[in-house]
Amino acid sequence: MTDVVIEKKGHVAIVKIEHMKAMNALSTDMYAQLEEAFDELAKDLDNVYAVVLTGSSTVNKKGKTVNSFVAGADISEMATKTCAEGKLFGNESNRVCWKIENFKRPVIAAINGFCLGGGNELAMACDLILAGEKAKFGQPETGLGITPGFSGTQRLLRRVGVSKAKELIYTGRMIDAQEALQIGLADHIYPDDQLQTEALAMAKKIAANAPVAVRYAKCAINEGAQADIDTAITIENKWFSKCFATQDQKEGMQAFLEKRKATFLNK
């Protein structure tokens, strides 16, 4: 990997996109590198309890230095694609987003600048979205003659509601971090120079809890979100009951009764 870098801090992994010449635009190669990164982390779940996904702090745009998470998909690559090639690109990109959404650990998107098109779709595949105060979000695809193609029409409506998703996609307008927070696209806003620190702090707070329980909670939420309420409650009960077969449940409750801090073993 050359444009996607993994750094580990304790039980937290930081995945950073550093395709600086193209404002971190997502090409076929970039998606392959992201998939490789998460496949690598999936082999180390004994040590990785939470993930932060972010972009390089600064990228070059026409000689100027700007902040960018991911400014979109690589238009230079997409411009000449046929219908069949477009379908394949969408399938490959959606596979990576699905893999992140269903990764066995929580994934926090730390949005430091432009988060547009494929970048916004990538962020929405994460469990939580933290934004720097100057972050910009949007799905500008209709202005390029296409629809969002990496689950943007589906994940956006699930985050902000049908009518707001239609407005943002139909108009292609870019919104700031404050509006993203108001409509539920972003979960928190932090000063730009504190974003990475705050994202790491949240990841560490998640990692301090029982890893198996956090994983089961993610499974219950993701599965239940696609079901009716009666089915969803049954799904929750399935994952709740599985907790009682873990060492971490025994340790967590015993530590509570003994008024001490639990030592979780991820078992």
Side-chain angles (χ1 to χ4, degrees):
M1 291 184 292
T2 58
D3 298 307
V4 177
V5 178
I6 298 174
E7 179 184 358
K8 294 179 181 177
K9 295 188 176 182
H11 289 301
V12 176
I14 301 169
V15 178
K16 183 178 290 187
I17 301 168
E18 295 187 332
H19 191 43
M20 298 178 69
K21 291 182 179 179
M23 294 183 68
N24 294 342
L26 294 171
S27 61
T28 299
D29 180 62
M30 289 295 295
Y31 274 112
Q33 290 188 50
L34 276 169
E35 185 169 28
E36 182 183 345
F38 277 89
D39 284 345
E40 182 178 327
L41 293 177
K43 298 175 184 177
D44 194 26
L45 295 181
D46 287 342
N47 298 303
V48 174
Y49 296 170
V51 179
V52 175
L53 176 62
T54 193
S56 55
S57 298
T58 58
V59 295
N60 296 319
K61 182 184 180 184
K62 296 180 180 179
K64 296 181 179 179
T65 298
V66 297
N67 292 328
S68 182
F69 170 68
V70 172
D74 191 334
I75 306 303
S76 64
E77 179 183 354
M78 290 197 298
T80 59
K81 287 188 181 299
T82 64
C83 182
E85 290 169 340
K87 183 176 182 179
L88 179 61
F89 186 41
N91 286 341
E92 291 175 347
S93 305
N94 272 305
R95 185 185 66 247
V96 178
C97 288
W98 183 93
K99 185 167 289 189
I100 292 172
E101 184 174 53
N102 292 280
F103 191 69
K104 292 181 179 180
R105 297 288 185 254
V107 182
I108 299 171
I111 310 302
N112 51 323
F114 290 107
C115 182
L116 306 175
N120 196 47
E121 291 166 313
L122 184 66
M124 290 189 294
C126 299
D127 295 276
L128 297 168
I129 298 177
L130 310 186
E133 57 191 354
K134 295 180 182 177
K136 302 291 185 181
F137 297 82
Q139 297 287 163
E141 287 90 346
T142 54
L144 297 169
I146 59 174
T147 68
F150 313 148
S151 302
T153 61
Q154 303 308 307
R155 288 196 176 95
L156 187 59
L157 70 85
R158 285 165 169 77
R159 269 196 166 263
V160 307
V162 175
S163 61
K164 181 57 69 173
K166 286 181 175 180
E167 178 208 333
L168 294 176
I169 291 170
Y170 294 171
T171 64
R173 74 182 179 90
M174 189 163 56
I175 64 175
D176 60 20
Q178 191 60 48
E179 184 172 354
L181 180 66
Q182 290 172 350
I183 65 176
L185 180 55
D187 298 300
H188 295 279
I189 299 175
Y190 299 106
D192 288 342
D193 61 356
Q194 297 177 27
L195 174 64
Q196 302 300 331
T197 299
E198 294 291 348
L200 182 60
M202 182 175 289
K204 287 181 176 179
K205 187 171 184 178
I206 292 170
N209 290 324
V212 179
V214 173
R215 173 189 167 189
Y216 287 178
K218 177 171 179 173
C219 291
I221 293 168
N222 283 3
E223 289 181 29
Q226 309 302 320
D228 63 83
I229 185 63
D230 292 333
T231 303
I233 290 171
T234 300
I235 290 170
E236 179 186 84
N237 186 259
K238 174 187 70 175
W239 291 105
F240 171 70
S241 63
K242 286 170 70 74
C243 293
F244 291 86
T246 68
Q247 294 181 32
D248 282 353
Q249 176 267 329
K250 304 295 187 293
E251 165 62 14
M253 292 191 175
Q254 192 62 36
F256 176 84
L257 294 173
E258 295 174 357
K259 296 181 172 56
R260 60 176 174 83
K261 184 176 180 180
T263 301
F264 295 116
L265 300 175
N266 188 30
K267 296 180 179 179

